[in-house]
Amino acid sequence: MHDRDFVTAFESCTLPPDLFPHRAHVRLAWLYLREHGLLESLRRYSDGIQRYAASLGASSKYHHTITWAFLFLIHERMAAVDHTTFDEFASANEDLFGPVLERYYSPAMLKSDLARRTFVMPDLFQQTW
């Protein structure tokens, strides 16, 4: 699906759930960040994910910390190296498609009600540079 069609389907809550796995979440974040920058993307992405989840009857699946942490990570990676396409970005950042948040958050923190309802700072730190 082309980028504009993908975003439109997501925003109108007509995107079939099977077309919105984790990779598609990262793609949407990348597209928003390219077009809107970090602050506007935080609002659009968070609101959109919540609206989309509600349209599927899955409001309880939204997780504020995971949503924002991924946006911050994707934004940081985009600032470090400018990739022309999402596929280039994805190939260069394969760790974003695995348990990357485990570097920054303990399982207990990510499972907490606090982390689900508001962004919490990482409770772990592993220097990666």
PDB file of all heavy atoms in Angstrom, residues 40-76:
ATOM      1  N   GLU A  40       4.571  17.313  16.924  1.00  0.00           N
ATOM      2  CA  GLU A  40       3.280  17.067  16.284  1.00  0.00           C
ATOM      3  C   GLU A  40       3.048  15.571  16.090  1.00  0.00           C
ATOM      4  O   GLU A  40       1.917  15.086  16.221  1.00  0.00           O
ATOM      5  CB  GLU A  40       3.188  17.808  14.944  1.00  0.00           C
ATOM      6  CG  GLU A  40       1.889  17.619  14.213  1.00  0.00           C
ATOM      7  CD  GLU A  40       0.656  18.157  14.922  1.00  0.00           C
ATOM      8  OE1 GLU A  40       0.783  18.950  15.884  1.00  0.00           O
ATOM      9  OE2 GLU A  40      -0.456  17.773  14.529  1.00  0.00           O
ATOM     10  N   SER A  41       4.103  14.825  15.819  1.00  0.00           N
ATOM     11  CA  SER A  41       3.970  13.374  15.641  1.00  0.00           C
ATOM     12  C   SER A  41       3.580  12.686  16.938  1.00  0.00           C
ATOM     13  O   SER A  41       2.797  11.730  16.918  1.00  0.00           O
ATOM     14  CB  SER A  41       5.270  12.776  15.101  1.00  0.00           C
ATOM     15  OG  SER A  41       5.497  13.230  13.787  1.00  0.00           O
ATOM     16  N   LEU A  42       4.110  13.157  18.059  1.00  0.00           N
ATOM     17  CA  LEU A  42       3.716  12.579  19.351  1.00  0.00           C
ATOM     18  C   LEU A  42       2.207  12.689  19.533  1.00  0.00           C
ATOM     19  O   LEU A  42       1.542  11.734  19.942  1.00  0.00           O
ATOM     20  CB  LEU A  42       4.435  13.276  20.509  1.00  0.00           C
ATOM     21  CG  LEU A  42       5.906  12.932  20.685  1.00  0.00           C
ATOM     22  CD1 LEU A  42       6.554  13.905  21.659  1.00  0.00           C
ATOM     23  CD2 LEU A  42       6.078  11.502  21.157  1.00  0.00           C
ATOM     24  N   ARG A  43       1.644  13.846  19.212  1.00  0.00           N
ATOM     25  CA  ARG A  43       0.206  14.054  19.361  1.00  0.00           C
ATOM     26  C   ARG A  43      -0.574  13.217  18.340  1.00  0.00           C
ATOM     27  O   ARG A  43      -1.475  12.461  18.711  1.00  0.00           O
ATOM     28  CB  ARG A  43      -0.154  15.529  19.193  1.00  0.00           C
ATOM     29  CG  ARG A  43      -1.632  15.829  19.449  1.00  0.00           C
ATOM     30  CD  ARG A  43      -2.018  17.239  19.039  1.00  0.00           C
ATOM     31  NE  ARG A  43      -1.929  17.455  17.605  1.00  0.00           N
ATOM     32  CZ  ARG A  43      -2.820  16.996  16.702  1.00  0.00           C
ATOM     33  NH1 ARG A  43      -3.835  16.262  17.095  1.00  0.00           N
ATOM     34  NH2 ARG A  43      -2.674  17.260  15.419  1.00  0.00           N
ATOM     35  N   ARG A  44      -0.204  13.337  17.072  1.00  0.00           N
ATOM     36  CA  ARG A  44      -0.943  12.638  16.006  1.00  0.00           C
ATOM     37  C   ARG A  44      -0.892  11.120  16.188  1.00  0.00           C
ATOM     38  O   ARG A  44      -1.911  10.431  16.047  1.00  0.00           O
ATOM     39  CB  ARG A  44      -0.361  12.976  14.640  1.00  0.00           C
ATOM     40  CG  ARG A  44      -0.783  14.293  14.103  1.00  0.00           C
ATOM     41  CD  ARG A  44      -0.101  14.527  12.739  1.00  0.00           C
ATOM     42  NE  ARG A  44      -0.538  15.765  12.180  1.00  0.00           N
ATOM     43  CZ  ARG A  44      -1.509  15.878  11.279  1.00  0.00           C
ATOM     44  NH1 ARG A  44      -2.120  14.814  10.826  1.00  0.00           N
ATOM     45  NH2 ARG A  44      -1.862  17.051  10.830  1.00  0.00           N
ATOM     46  N   TYR A  45       0.296  10.613  16.458  1.00  0.00           N
ATOM     47  CA  TYR A  45       0.477   9.169  16.569  1.00  0.00           C
ATOM     48  C   TYR A  45      -0.270   8.623  17.790  1.00  0.00           C
ATOM     49  O   TYR A  45      -0.997   7.639  17.684  1.00  0.00           O
ATOM     50  CB  TYR A  45       1.971   8.854  16.649  1.00  0.00           C
ATOM     51  CG  TYR A  45       2.320   7.401  16.477  1.00  0.00           C
ATOM     52  CD1 TYR A  45       2.271   6.798  15.231  1.00  0.00           C
ATOM     53  CD2 TYR A  45       2.715   6.636  17.560  1.00  0.00           C
ATOM     54  CE1 TYR A  45       2.612   5.457  15.073  1.00  0.00           C
ATOM     55  CE2 TYR A  45       3.055   5.304  17.412  1.00  0.00           C
ATOM     56  CZ  TYR A  45       2.999   4.720  16.166  1.00  0.00           C
ATOM     57  OH  TYR A  45       3.327   3.400  16.000  1.00  0.00           O
ATOM     58  N   SER A  46      -0.109   9.275  18.930  1.00  0.00           N
ATOM     59  CA  SER A  46      -0.792   8.827  20.152  1.00  0.00           C
ATOM     60  C   SER A  46      -2.303   8.870  19.987  1.00  0.00           C
ATOM     61  O   SER A  46      -2.999   7.892  20.293  1.00  0.00           O
ATOM     62  CB  SER A  46      -0.387   9.696  21.344  1.00  0.00           C
ATOM     63  OG  SER A  46       0.975   9.585  21.603  1.00  0.00           O
ATOM     64  N   ASP A  47      -2.810  10.002  19.524  1.00  0.00           N
ATOM     65  CA  ASP A  47      -4.257  10.125  19.321  1.00  0.00           C
ATOM     66  C   ASP A  47      -4.755   9.108  18.301  1.00  0.00           C
ATOM     67  O   ASP A  47      -5.797   8.493  18.484  1.00  0.00           O
ATOM     68  CB  ASP A  47      -4.620  11.538  18.852  1.00  0.00           C
ATOM     69  CG  ASP A  47      -4.432  12.600  19.923  1.00  0.00           C
ATOM     70  OD1 ASP A  47      -4.170  12.247  21.094  1.00  0.00           O
ATOM     71  OD2 ASP A  47      -4.522  13.798  19.575  1.00  0.00           O
ATOM     72  N   GLY A  48      -4.001   8.949  17.211  1.00  0.00           N
ATOM     73  CA  GLY A  48      -4.403   8.025  16.160  1.00  0.00           C
ATOM     74  C   GLY A  48      -4.427   6.581  16.621  1.00  0.00           C
ATOM     75  O   GLY A  48      -5.368   5.840  16.305  1.00  0.00           O
ATOM     76  N   ILE A  49      -3.403   6.173  17.350  1.00  0.00           N
ATOM     77  CA  ILE A  49      -3.349   4.792  17.856  1.00  0.00           C
ATOM     78  C   ILE A  49      -4.524   4.535  18.803  1.00  0.00           C
ATOM     79  O   ILE A  49      -5.174   3.485  18.732  1.00  0.00           O
ATOM     80  CB  ILE A  49      -2.003   4.503  18.563  1.00  0.00           C
ATOM     81  CG1 ILE A  49      -0.840   4.545  17.566  1.00  0.00           C
ATOM     82  CG2 ILE A  49      -2.044   3.172  19.316  1.00  0.00           C
ATOM     83  CD1 ILE A  49      -0.744   3.377  16.631  1.00  0.00           C
ATOM     84  N   GLN A  50      -4.806   5.494  19.669  1.00  0.00           N
ATOM     85  CA  GLN A  50      -5.927   5.329  20.602  1.00  0.00           C
ATOM     86  C   GLN A  50      -7.264   5.246  19.858  1.00  0.00           C
ATOM     87  O   GLN A  50      -8.114   4.403  20.172  1.00  0.00           O
ATOM     88  CB  GLN A  50      -5.948   6.473  21.611  1.00  0.00           C
ATOM     89  CG  GLN A  50      -4.787   6.395  22.586  1.00  0.00           C
ATOM     90  CD  GLN A  50      -4.752   7.559  23.538  1.00  0.00           C
ATOM     91  OE1 GLN A  50      -5.553   7.611  24.475  1.00  0.00           O
ATOM     92  NE2 GLN A  50      -3.850   8.498  23.304  1.00  0.00           N
ATOM     93  N   ARG A  51      -7.449   6.105  18.867  1.00  0.00           N
ATOM     94  CA  ARG A  51      -8.684   6.114  18.084  1.00  0.00           C
ATOM     95  C   ARG A  51      -8.820   4.796  17.292  1.00  0.00           C
ATOM     96  O   ARG A  51      -9.888   4.192  17.244  1.00  0.00           O
ATOM     97  CB  ARG A  51      -8.700   7.330  17.149  1.00  0.00           C
ATOM     98  CG  ARG A  51      -9.995   7.583  16.447  1.00  0.00           C
ATOM     99  CD  ARG A  51     -10.003   8.892  15.662  1.00  0.00           C
ATOM    100  NE  ARG A  51      -8.849   9.061  14.783  1.00  0.00           N
ATOM    101  CZ  ARG A  51      -7.810   9.870  15.020  1.00  0.00           C
ATOM    102  NH1 ARG A  51      -7.763  10.606  16.123  1.00  0.00           N
ATOM    103  NH2 ARG A  51      -6.814   9.956  14.159  1.00  0.00           N
ATOM    104  N   TYR A  52      -7.710   4.370  16.678  1.00  0.00           N
ATOM    105  CA  TYR A  52      -7.727   3.124  15.898  1.00  0.00           C
ATOM    106  C   TYR A  52      -8.040   1.928  16.803  1.00  0.00           C
ATOM    107  O   TYR A  52      -8.883   1.094  16.468  1.00  0.00           O
ATOM    108  CB  TYR A  52      -6.378   2.946  15.195  1.00  0.00           C
ATOM    109  CG  TYR A  52      -6.301   1.732  14.313  1.00  0.00           C
ATOM    110  CD1 TYR A  52      -6.930   1.709  13.070  1.00  0.00           C
ATOM    111  CD2 TYR A  52      -5.608   0.598  14.706  1.00  0.00           C
ATOM    112  CE1 TYR A  52      -6.867   0.593  12.248  1.00  0.00           C
ATOM    113  CE2 TYR A  52      -5.537  -0.519  13.901  1.00  0.00           C
ATOM    114  CZ  TYR A  52      -6.173  -0.522  12.675  1.00  0.00           C
ATOM    115  OH  TYR A  52      -6.113  -1.637  11.873  1.00  0.00           O
ATOM    116  N   ALA A  53      -7.383   1.853  17.958  1.00  0.00           N
ATOM    117  CA  ALA A  53      -7.638   0.751  18.894  1.00  0.00           C
ATOM    118  C   ALA A  53      -9.103   0.752  19.340  1.00  0.00           C
ATOM    119  O   ALA A  53      -9.744  -0.301  19.397  1.00  0.00           O
ATOM    120  CB  ALA A  53      -6.702   0.846  20.095  1.00  0.00           C
ATOM    121  N   ALA A  54      -9.639   1.941  19.624  1.00  0.00           N
ATOM    122  CA  ALA A  54     -11.043   2.039  20.040  1.00  0.00           C
ATOM    123  C   ALA A  54     -11.968   1.562  18.932  1.00  0.00           C
ATOM    124  O   ALA A  54     -12.977   0.892  19.198  1.00  0.00           O
ATOM    125  CB  ALA A  54     -11.377   3.475  20.439  1.00  0.00           C
ATOM    126  N   SER A  55     -11.633   1.869  17.679  1.00  0.00           N
ATOM    127  CA  SER A  55     -12.475   1.447  16.557  1.00  0.00           C
ATOM    128  C   SER A  55     -12.520  -0.074  16.425  1.00  0.00           C
ATOM    129  O   SER A  55     -13.461  -0.624  15.846  1.00  0.00           O
ATOM    130  CB  SER A  55     -11.995   2.074  15.244  1.00  0.00           C
ATOM    131  OG  SER A  55     -10.864   1.397  14.727  1.00  0.00           O
ATOM    132  N   LEU A  56     -11.516  -0.729  16.966  1.00  0.00           N
ATOM    133  CA  LEU A  56     -11.444  -2.194  16.926  1.00  0.00           C
ATOM    134  C   LEU A  56     -11.953  -2.827  18.222  1.00  0.00           C
ATOM    135  O   LEU A  56     -11.870  -4.042  18.398  1.00  0.00           O
ATOM    136  CB  LEU A  56     -10.001  -2.646  16.668  1.00  0.00           C
ATOM    137  CG  LEU A  56      -9.371  -2.182  15.359  1.00  0.00           C
ATOM    138  CD1 LEU A  56      -7.895  -2.571  15.314  1.00  0.00           C
ATOM    139  CD2 LEU A  56     -10.121  -2.764  14.170  1.00  0.00           C
ATOM    140  N   GLY A  57     -12.424  -1.978  19.144  1.00  0.00           N
ATOM    141  CA  GLY A  57     -12.872  -2.486  20.434  1.00  0.00           C
ATOM    142  C   GLY A  57     -11.722  -2.937  21.309  1.00  0.00           C
ATOM    143  O   GLY A  57     -11.874  -3.811  22.155  1.00  0.00           O
ATOM    144  N   ALA A  58     -10.546  -2.334  21.109  1.00  0.00           N
ATOM    145  CA  ALA A  58      -9.342  -2.760  21.825  1.00  0.00           C
ATOM    146  C   ALA A  58      -8.655  -1.588  22.519  1.00  0.00           C
ATOM    147  O   ALA A  58      -7.433  -1.491  22.537  1.00  0.00           O
ATOM    148  CB  ALA A  58      -8.385  -3.431  20.856  1.00  0.00           C
ATOM    149  N   SER A  59      -9.443  -0.696  23.097  1.00  0.00           N
ATOM    150  CA  SER A  59      -8.883   0.498  23.747  1.00  0.00           C
ATOM    151  C   SER A  59      -7.848   0.164  24.809  1.00  0.00           C
ATOM    152  O   SER A  59      -6.888   0.912  25.001  1.00  0.00           O
ATOM    153  CB  SER A  59      -9.999   1.330  24.384  1.00  0.00           C
ATOM    154  OG  SER A  59     -10.848   1.827  23.389  1.00  0.00           O
ATOM    155  N   SER A  60      -8.013  -0.954  25.477  1.00  0.00           N
ATOM    156  CA  SER A  60      -7.092  -1.316  26.559  1.00  0.00           C
ATOM    157  C   SER A  60      -5.703  -1.702  26.056  1.00  0.00           C
ATOM    158  O   SER A  60      -4.772  -1.816  26.841  1.00  0.00           O
ATOM    159  CB  SER A  60      -7.668  -2.454  27.397  1.00  0.00           C
ATOM    160  OG  SER A  60      -7.786  -3.623  26.599  1.00  0.00           O
ATOM    161  N   LYS A  61      -5.546  -1.888  24.747  1.00  0.00           N
ATOM    162  CA  LYS A  61      -4.236  -2.259  24.206  1.00  0.00           C
ATOM    163  C   LYS A  61      -3.274  -1.075  24.114  1.00  0.00           C
ATOM    164  O   LYS A  61      -2.068  -1.275  24.028  1.00  0.00           O
ATOM    165  CB  LYS A  61      -4.377  -2.902  22.825  1.00  0.00           C
ATOM    166  CG  LYS A  61      -4.933  -4.302  22.886  1.00  0.00           C
ATOM    167  CD  LYS A  61      -4.819  -4.970  21.538  1.00  0.00           C
ATOM    168  CE  LYS A  61      -5.187  -6.426  21.639  1.00  0.00           C
ATOM    169  NZ  LYS A  61      -4.917  -7.134  20.386  1.00  0.00           N
ATOM    170  N   TYR A  62      -3.797   0.157  24.118  1.00  0.00           N
ATOM    171  CA  TYR A  62      -2.920   1.323  23.996  1.00  0.00           C
ATOM    172  C   TYR A  62      -1.987   1.402  25.196  1.00  0.00           C
ATOM    173  O   TYR A  62      -2.400   1.259  26.342  1.00  0.00           O
ATOM    174  CB  TYR A  62      -3.731   2.615  23.876  1.00  0.00           C
ATOM    175  CG  TYR A  62      -2.827   3.824  23.796  1.00  0.00           C
ATOM    176  CD1 TYR A  62      -2.188   4.148  22.606  1.00  0.00           C
ATOM    177  CD2 TYR A  62      -2.576   4.612  24.911  1.00  0.00           C
ATOM    178  CE1 TYR A  62      -1.331   5.238  22.527  1.00  0.00           C
ATOM    179  CE2 TYR A  62      -1.725   5.701  24.845  1.00  0.00           C
ATOM    180  CZ  TYR A  62      -1.106   6.009  23.647  1.00  0.00           C
ATOM    181  OH  TYR A  62      -0.247   7.078  23.572  1.00  0.00           O
ATOM    182  N   HIS A  63      -0.714   1.671  24.919  1.00  0.00           N
ATOM    183  CA  HIS A  63       0.316   1.767  25.955  1.00  0.00           C
ATOM    184  C   HIS A  63       1.122   3.033  25.693  1.00  0.00           C
ATOM    185  O   HIS A  63       1.881   3.117  24.733  1.00  0.00           O
ATOM    186  CB  HIS A  63       1.210   0.523  25.892  1.00  0.00           C
ATOM    187  CG  HIS A  63       2.078   0.333  27.083  1.00  0.00           C
ATOM    188  ND1 HIS A  63       3.102   1.198  27.400  1.00  0.00           N
ATOM    189  CD2 HIS A  63       2.071  -0.635  28.028  1.00  0.00           C
ATOM    190  CE1 HIS A  63       3.702   0.769  28.496  1.00  0.00           C
ATOM    191  NE2 HIS A  63       3.086  -0.346  28.888  1.00  0.00           N
ATOM    192  N   HIS A  64       0.951   4.013  26.561  1.00  0.00           N
ATOM    193  CA  HIS A  64       1.539   5.331  26.343  1.00  0.00           C
ATOM    194  C   HIS A  64       3.071   5.295  26.299  1.00  0.00           C
ATOM    195  O   HIS A  64       3.682   5.891  25.414  1.00  0.00           O
ATOM    196  CB  HIS A  64       1.052   6.289  27.436  1.00  0.00           C
ATOM    197  CG  HIS A  64       1.071   7.709  27.025  1.00  0.00           C
ATOM    198  ND1 HIS A  64       0.143   8.253  26.166  1.00  0.00           N
ATOM    199  CD2 HIS A  64       1.922   8.707  27.341  1.00  0.00           C
ATOM    200  CE1 HIS A  64       0.424   9.527  25.980  1.00  0.00           C
ATOM    201  NE2 HIS A  64       1.488   9.829  26.676  1.00  0.00           N
ATOM    202  N   THR A  65       3.694   4.609  27.226  1.00  0.00           N
ATOM    203  CA  THR A  65       5.162   4.576  27.270  1.00  0.00           C
ATOM    204  C   THR A  65       5.737   3.884  26.041  1.00  0.00           C
ATOM    205  O   THR A  65       6.691   4.390  25.434  1.00  0.00           O
ATOM    206  CB  THR A  65       5.654   3.906  28.564  1.00  0.00           C
ATOM    207  OG1 THR A  65       5.212   4.688  29.683  1.00  0.00           O
ATOM    208  CG2 THR A  65       7.174   3.792  28.591  1.00  0.00           C
ATOM    209  N   ILE A  66       5.187   2.761  25.650  1.00  0.00           N
ATOM    210  CA  ILE A  66       5.693   2.066  24.465  1.00  0.00           C
ATOM    211  C   ILE A  66       5.531   2.942  23.231  1.00  0.00           C
ATOM    212  O   ILE A  66       6.453   3.055  22.414  1.00  0.00           O
ATOM    213  CB  ILE A  66       5.007   0.701  24.289  1.00  0.00           C
ATOM    214  CG1 ILE A  66       5.464  -0.267  25.397  1.00  0.00           C
ATOM    215  CG2 ILE A  66       5.279   0.119  22.912  1.00  0.00           C
ATOM    216  CD1 ILE A  66       4.724  -1.589  25.422  1.00  0.00           C
ATOM    217  N   THR A  67       4.390   3.591  23.108  1.00  0.00           N
ATOM    218  CA  THR A  67       4.132   4.453  21.956  1.00  0.00           C
ATOM    219  C   THR A  67       5.151   5.576  21.875  1.00  0.00           C
ATOM    220  O   THR A  67       5.790   5.781  20.835  1.00  0.00           O
ATOM    221  CB  THR A  67       2.700   5.029  22.043  1.00  0.00           C
ATOM    222  OG1 THR A  67       1.769   3.940  22.053  1.00  0.00           O
ATOM    223  CG2 THR A  67       2.409   5.952  20.874  1.00  0.00           C
ATOM    224  N   TRP A  68       5.324   6.303  22.956  1.00  0.00           N
ATOM    225  CA  TRP A  68       6.251   7.446  22.936  1.00  0.00           C
ATOM    226  C   TRP A  68       7.702   6.992  22.851  1.00  0.00           C
ATOM    227  O   TRP A  68       8.510   7.616  22.160  1.00  0.00           O
ATOM    228  CB  TRP A  68       6.016   8.325  24.156  1.00  0.00           C
ATOM    229  CG  TRP A  68       4.868   9.266  24.005  1.00  0.00           C
ATOM    230  CD1 TRP A  68       3.702   9.054  23.311  1.00  0.00           C
ATOM    231  CD2 TRP A  68       4.782  10.571  24.547  1.00  0.00           C
ATOM    232  NE1 TRP A  68       2.897  10.150  23.409  1.00  0.00           N
ATOM    233  CE2 TRP A  68       3.516  11.095  24.155  1.00  0.00           C
ATOM    234  CE3 TRP A  68       5.619  11.335  25.334  1.00  0.00           C
ATOM    235  CZ2 TRP A  68       3.100  12.371  24.527  1.00  0.00           C
ATOM    236  CZ3 TRP A  68       5.192  12.611  25.717  1.00  0.00           C
ATOM    237  CH2 TRP A  68       3.955  13.113  25.298  1.00  0.00           C
ATOM    238  N   ALA A  69       8.057   5.919  23.548  1.00  0.00           N
ATOM    239  CA  ALA A  69       9.447   5.446  23.511  1.00  0.00           C
ATOM    240  C   ALA A  69       9.847   5.080  22.080  1.00  0.00           C
ATOM    241  O   ALA A  69      10.951   5.429  21.624  1.00  0.00           O
ATOM    242  CB  ALA A  69       9.633   4.258  24.449  1.00  0.00           C
ATOM    243  N   PHE A  70       8.960   4.408  21.363  1.00  0.00           N
ATOM    244  CA  PHE A  70       9.273   4.074  19.970  1.00  0.00           C
ATOM    245  C   PHE A  70       9.391   5.328  19.113  1.00  0.00           C
ATOM    246  O   PHE A  70      10.288   5.427  18.273  1.00  0.00           O
ATOM    247  CB  PHE A  70       8.251   3.104  19.376  1.00  0.00           C
ATOM    248  CG  PHE A  70       8.685   1.673  19.506  1.00  0.00           C
ATOM    249  CD1 PHE A  70       8.169   0.865  20.501  1.00  0.00           C
ATOM    250  CD2 PHE A  70       9.629   1.137  18.645  1.00  0.00           C
ATOM    251  CE1 PHE A  70       8.582  -0.434  20.641  1.00  0.00           C
ATOM    252  CE2 PHE A  70      10.056  -0.174  18.774  1.00  0.00           C
ATOM    253  CZ  PHE A  70       9.529  -0.967  19.769  1.00  0.00           C
ATOM    254  N   LEU A  71       8.520   6.292  19.318  1.00  0.00           N
ATOM    255  CA  LEU A  71       8.635   7.539  18.550  1.00  0.00           C
ATOM    256  C   LEU A  71       9.964   8.232  18.820  1.00  0.00           C
ATOM    257  O   LEU A  71      10.613   8.708  17.889  1.00  0.00           O
ATOM    258  CB  LEU A  71       7.467   8.472  18.867  1.00  0.00           C
ATOM    259  CG  LEU A  71       6.225   8.222  18.031  1.00  0.00           C
ATOM    260  CD1 LEU A  71       5.027   8.942  18.621  1.00  0.00           C
ATOM    261  CD2 LEU A  71       6.428   8.660  16.602  1.00  0.00           C
ATOM    262  N   PHE A  72      10.368   8.287  20.068  1.00  0.00           N
ATOM    263  CA  PHE A  72      11.649   8.910  20.401  1.00  0.00           C
ATOM    264  C   PHE A  72      12.815   8.145  19.774  1.00  0.00           C
ATOM    265  O   PHE A  72      13.748   8.763  19.235  1.00  0.00           O
ATOM    266  CB  PHE A  72      11.846   9.022  21.917  1.00  0.00           C
ATOM    267  CG  PHE A  72      11.021  10.090  22.569  1.00  0.00           C
ATOM    268  CD1 PHE A  72      10.188   9.792  23.631  1.00  0.00           C
ATOM    269  CD2 PHE A  72      11.079  11.411  22.138  1.00  0.00           C
ATOM    270  CE1 PHE A  72       9.430  10.770  24.246  1.00  0.00           C
ATOM    271  CE2 PHE A  72      10.322  12.401  22.742  1.00  0.00           C
ATOM    272  CZ  PHE A  72       9.491  12.082  23.805  1.00  0.00           C
ATOM    273  N   LEU A  73      12.785   6.825  19.832  1.00  0.00           N
ATOM    274  CA  LEU A  73      13.852   6.021  19.225  1.00  0.00           C
ATOM    275  C   LEU A  73      13.905   6.209  17.714  1.00  0.00           C
ATOM    276  O   LEU A  73      14.983   6.385  17.131  1.00  0.00           O
ATOM    277  CB  LEU A  73      13.654   4.540  19.536  1.00  0.00           C
ATOM    278  CG  LEU A  73      14.086   4.062  20.906  1.00  0.00           C
ATOM    279  CD1 LEU A  73      13.621   2.631  21.135  1.00  0.00           C
ATOM    280  CD2 LEU A  73      15.586   4.162  21.050  1.00  0.00           C
ATOM    281  N   ILE A  74      12.754   6.162  17.074  1.00  0.00           N
ATOM    282  CA  ILE A  74      12.707   6.338  15.618  1.00  0.00           C
ATOM    283  C   ILE A  74      13.194   7.730  15.239  1.00  0.00           C
ATOM    284  O   ILE A  74      13.985   7.890  14.301  1.00  0.00           O
ATOM    285  CB  ILE A  74      11.286   6.057  15.092  1.00  0.00           C
ATOM    286  CG1 ILE A  74      10.948   4.571  15.296  1.00  0.00           C
ATOM    287  CG2 ILE A  74      11.148   6.458  13.621  1.00  0.00           C
ATOM    288  CD1 ILE A  74       9.468   4.245  15.195  1.00  0.00           C
ATOM    289  N   HIS A  75      12.777   8.728  15.975  1.00  0.00           N
ATOM    290  CA  HIS A  75      13.215  10.103  15.718  1.00  0.00           C
ATOM    291  C   HIS A  75      14.734  10.226  15.844  1.00  0.00           C
ATOM    292  O   HIS A  75      15.395  10.834  14.999  1.00  0.00           O
ATOM    293  CB  HIS A  75      12.525  11.057  16.688  1.00  0.00           C
ATOM    294  CG  HIS A  75      12.905  12.480  16.511  1.00  0.00           C
ATOM    295  ND1 HIS A  75      13.854  13.089  17.301  1.00  0.00           N
ATOM    296  CD2 HIS A  75      12.496  13.408  15.616  1.00  0.00           C
ATOM    297  CE1 HIS A  75      13.998  14.340  16.901  1.00  0.00           C
ATOM    298  NE2 HIS A  75      13.192  14.559  15.890  1.00  0.00           N
ATOM    299  N   GLU A  76      15.297   9.642  16.879  1.00  0.00           N
ATOM    300  CA  GLU A  76      16.743   9.675  17.080  1.00  0.00           C
ATOM    301  C   GLU A  76      17.474   9.010  15.911  1.00  0.00           C
ATOM    302  O   GLU A  76      18.459   9.554  15.386  1.00  0.00           O
ATOM    303  CB  GLU A  76      17.105   8.966  18.385  1.00  0.00           C
ATOM    304  CG  GLU A  76      18.592   8.892  18.639  1.00  0.00           C
ATOM    305  CD  GLU A  76      18.934   8.099  19.884  1.00  0.00           C
ATOM    306  OE1 GLU A  76      18.150   7.200  20.272  1.00  0.00           O
ATOM    307  OE2 GLU A  76      19.989   8.374  20.465  1.00  0.00           O
TER     308      GLU A  76
END
